[in-house]
Amino acid sequence: MVSVTHTAYDIEITAESLQEDLARLGVQKQALERELAAVVAHLGSVQRALSALQAVMSQAGQTSAESAGAPRIPAPADVAPQTDPLPSKPAGTSATTGIRAQPTASPPDIRESAPPAAPARDSLASKSHADADRQVKYGKLTEQILEYFAEVGDVDVRARDVAAALGRDTDSGSINAVRSTLDRLVGTSRIRRAGRGLYRAGKS
């Protein structure tokens, strides 16, 4: 009879541990999905910027080729003086051919058509800051939990009680984060599991 009771108790502890692992994995899955969405959005912005730059470079190459192939019209200073008087020509015509010179069209301003690349850099900077903030929050949570167990002493407490004492019981995600940190501290023997859903300060 005692063996059956002990086996049932072990099964309950194992089931509770698996439920806690499932909740922790769900939180990690959500975090990875958010990071994947950010990477996909950044990849799309980089591809659009690259396509726009390639189009601008192609247009600039065509404009340069057209400018290089245009015939050069000699300036009036390059023409040798004539002894016989020439009839007056309308303003804007060549001294030798009488053909009106056409103004050369200025190339389009490439700087105005190029898309700004600043949003891609801002996205990377914000992602780096978010990762750093998560690391800082995790470190602070571990320190807060260890300080809490140092204050309560040799007393069995639940994960929800720890979350309430630290002001992290506002939602299930915060409570699961506290429970996951408790499990990690149990794994490193900094605290110990006292029973089903119960934790206690580690032996000094």
Side-chain angles (χ1 to χ4, degrees):
M1 184 64 181
V2 175
S3 177
V4 173
T5 304
H6 182 69
T7 302
Y9 179 73
D10 291 341
I11 292 175
E12 290 178 354
I13 292 179
T14 303
E16 180 186 2
S17 178
L18 291 175
Q19 289 177 354
E20 292 173 353
D21 291 339
L22 180 62
R24 181 174 67 255
L25 291 175
V27 174
Q28 293 177 355
K29 177 184 176 183
Q30 293 176 358
L32 290 175
E33 288 176 348
R34 288 193 296 269
E35 292 180 359
L36 178 60
V39 171
V40 171
H42 175 58
L43 178 61
S45 63
V46 170
Q47 289 177 343
R48 289 191 297 270
L50 180 60
S51 299
L53 288 176
Q54 289 176 347
V56 171
M57 293 173 62
S58 176
Q59 182 179 1
Q62 293 177 358
T63 304
S64 299
E66 292 175 358
S67 299
R72 179 178 178 273
I73 300 176
D78 297 336
V79 180
Q82 301 293 332
T83 55
D84 297 332
L86 295 176
S88 60
K89 300 294 189 302
T93 59
S94 173
T96 57
T97 62
I99 300 174
R100 181 180 298 273
Q102 298 296 330
T104 304
S106 59
D109 192 353
I110 300 177
R111 294 175 297 177
E112 295 180 357
S113 59
R121 293 193 297 268
D122 295 341
S123 177
L124 289 175
S126 60
K127 183 177 182 298
S128 300
H129 290 316
D131 293 339
D133 291 340
R134 283 197 295 269
Q135 294 295 332
V136 172
K137 289 181 180 178
Y138 169 71
K140 289 183 178 179
L141 178 58
T142 303
E143 294 176 359
Q144 291 174 354
I145 291 176
L146 292 176
E147 291 176 358
Y148 171 77
F149 277 101
E151 293 176 358
V152 298
D154 194 15
V155 178
D156 297 342
V157 293
R158 296 183 178 274
R160 186 176 295 274
D161 298 332
V162 178
L166 300 180
R168 295 176 179 268
D169 58 343
T170 55
D171 54 77
S172 60
S174 299
I175 297 175
N176 289 333
V178 173
R179 184 177 287 107
S180 300
T181 305
L182 289 172
D183 291 338
R184 282 192 288 268
L185 292 176
V186 170
T188 57
S189 301
R190 304 181 73 177
I191 62 175
R192 52 199 172 103
R193 192 186 299 274
R196 181 180 179 182
L198 297 176
Y199 303 88
R200 183 180 293 183
K203 294 181 180 180
S204 57

